[in-house]
Amino acid sequence: MIVPGDLDDLKRVAQIDRSGMRELLLRFPEQLARAWQLSVSVPDFERLIVCGMGGSAVGGDYLRVYLTHKRFPKPVFVIRGYELPPFADANTLIFAVSYSGNTEETLSCVAEAVERDCHWAALTSDGRLAELARAHGAPIIQIPKGMPPRTALGYLFLPMLKSLQCFLDESAVETELTEALDALKKLAARYAEAPEAENPAERLAHAWHGHIPIIYGSHGLTDVVARRWKAQINENAEAPAFCNVVPELQHNELMGWEHEPHRELFVYTLLRDPDEHPQIKRRFELSRSFLEDQGSLVLEFSGEGEGLLARLLSLSYLGDWASFYLAILYARDPTPVPLIDTLKARLTQ
Ligand code: PA5
């Protein structure tokens, strides 16, 4: 049984974190710096599609939000499935992203990309995807092997942004990245070492412990981080969690808030950002007061820094650490994902 303060006991944490997730989290800022060195050259294009699943799709989400927020004039889509949309053609740039290189949905999209003569590049550590790229002469962004995909967010996001930097204000992106790296280095020390009373990641894990975290983000901004936090809780802590998006959730989900038998079960976690639309700001504030009035626990977080990269990545990083500590509280080694592996193995039988 874990009691308050136990998360500060590094020996105890290491006994549960047998596969070394803490070390990977600590090295995340360093990963971002390395990832920024990787890119491929891309031709001009009319639309961009990122194909990937799970941990390998998340980088596409961050890319889409970043580009859209910077008013990038071409449409950006993230496809989590077996088929490309009908509009994918020779003027479409595709990043096929799979950490392992063996994810069947992504490989199926690549087969379609080849058939439709799309310009495509692979972002992978290995596997069939790397083989296909070599066979078809497609560029490969080769990332290091041996990590759980979800810990490789830097590698699965920044090389795509770097490859597209020539379409953006290059020096502004560099400045944002430098700010993000500085912010994350400071946060790494804080989340890893600060005692519980001063450690937001540990405190958040305690708040979630024994409850179901519900994470709300704002449309086109922190919704991607909410999805990431949910998935990190699922995979790291092997626990259920759900996410939704403001304003859509206020047209349906809020009707369930008053359902008395389940009130105690959930902890509502709101992910805020200074660039929220003014009405989204009001919607968050009203939601918070509705939920608190009925006695629900509501927590609120936003990213650190001025630039969008720092804000998104730092907020994301808090979720990485909080889900790691939640795994420790549930006495789960945060790294293995046995059920995902079993399902993939059964699908190939
Ligand atoms: O976190 C995970 O292990 C999964 O979500 C994987 O990322 C997902 O199954 C896709 O595999 P890959 O990232 O190797 O393409």
Side-chain angles (χ1 to χ4, degrees):
M1 156 111 172
I2 294 255
V3 293
D6 273 8
L7 292 176
D8 296 334
D9 178 350
L10 288 188
K11 224 167 125 192
R12 170 116 178 85
V13 169
Q15 277 166 1
I16 299 171
D17 178 29
R18 290 183 294 282
S19 311
M21 176 65 77
R22 186 175 183 275
E23 192 54 31
L24 288 170
L25 290 180
L26 267 171
R27 296 212 313 250
F28 185 63
E30 183 189 318
Q31 178 193 140
L32 293 176
R34 286 175 196 268
W36 192 243
Q37 306 307 315
L38 305 175
S39 64
V40 285
S41 69
V42 296
D44 199 7
F45 57 91
E46 283 179 10
R47 59 196 75 78
L48 172 67
I49 297 179
V50 180
C51 302
M53 300 302 300
S56 289
V58 181
D61 289 337
Y62 282 71
L63 183 71
R64 180 175 52 74
V65 164
Y66 185 80
L67 293 177
T68 308
H69 209 69
K70 298 292 168 188
R71 308 212 169 279
F72 186 65
K74 300 168 202 269
V76 183
F77 304 89
V78 179
I79 300 296
R80 293 172 154 90
Y82 289 88
E83 289 165 312
L84 291 178
F87 52 74
D89 61 13
N91 295 319
T92 304
L93 172 65
I94 295 186
F95 282 113
V97 186
S98 169
Y99 185 83
S100 64
N102 291 320
T103 295
E104 61 176 36
E105 297 93 323
T106 313
L107 294 175
S108 160
C109 287
V110 166
E112 289 198 358
V114 170
E115 222 167 80
R116 296 196 217 169
D117 208 21
C118 305
H119 186 93
W120 67 280
L123 172 50
T124 186
S125 74
D126 201 6
R128 184 84 190 112
L129 181 56
E131 281 169 21
L132 280 172
R134 281 191 286 271
H136 291 277
I140 307 181
I141 303 171
Q142 181 80 48
I143 57 176
K145 295 182 194 174
M147 302 163 72
R150 64 191 181 282
T151 66
L153 175 61
Y155 286 126
L156 296 165
F157 166 37
L158 289 183
M160 292 190 283
L161 182 58
K162 178 89 176 190
S163 305
L164 298 170
Q165 204 186 354
C166 54
F167 300 103
L168 301 162
D169 176 346
E170 299 198 28
S171 72
V173 183
E174 294 284 347
T175 307
E176 277 201 40
L177 187 80
T178 308
E179 186 203 17
L181 289 179
D182 289 346
L184 267 84
K185 276 183 209 151
K186 286 186 197 124
L187 291 174
R190 184 167 176 211
Y191 295 152
E193 284 153 26
E196 192 181 305
E198 294 147 39
N199 191 326
E202 292 188 14
R203 291 166 63 90
L204 180 52
H206 276 295
W208 283 340
H209 187 214
H211 299 272
I212 296 181
I214 305 282
I215 324 284
Y216 292 152
S218 54
H219 176 73
L221 209 48
T222 56
D223 54 353
V224 290
V225 187
R227 187 176 191 154
R228 164 76 174 179
W229 280 32
K230 174 221 176 297
Q232 290 293 81
I233 295 165
N234 297 150
E235 293 188 58
N236 288 343
E238 294 178 37
F242 299 92
C243 64
N244 210 335
V245 183
V246 176
E248 174 60 25
L249 73 90
Q250 291 165 334
H251 296 268
N252 35 69
E253 180 158 323
L254 89 169
M255 292 305 295
W257 290 347
E258 293 192 313
H259 190 63
E260 202 144 358
H262 291 128
R263 262 186 217 168
E264 300 277 296
L265 200 58
F266 303 114
V267 169
Y268 294 89
T269 312
L270 315 183
L271 303 186
R272 309 291 308 272
D273 188 88
D275 282 354
E276 280 158 8
H277 187 284
Q279 283 300 94
I280 289 197
K281 189 173 156 55
R282 291 190 65 211
R283 284 173 177 275
F284 267 122
E285 283 159 5
L286 287 168
S287 298
R288 182 170 189 146
S289 67
F290 285 176
L291 286 163
E292 283 179 341
D293 285 353
Q294 62 173 33
S296 296
L297 178 59
V298 185
L299 306 167
E300 205 170 286
F301 299 92
S302 50
E304 310 227 345
E306 295 285 316
L308 183 60
L309 272 185
R311 293 187 337 250
L312 288 178
L313 290 170
S314 61
L315 190 57
S316 207
Y317 200 42
L318 172 59
D320 292 350
W321 278 97
S323 57
F324 166 78
Y325 286 124
L326 185 62
I328 304 301
L329 292 177
Y330 285 132
R332 299 284 193 192
D333 181 358
T335 303
V337 284
L339 211 50
I340 294 178
D341 297 339
T342 305
L343 184 88
K344 285 184 181 176
R346 296 235 179 120
L347 278 167
T348 59
Q349 280 164 12

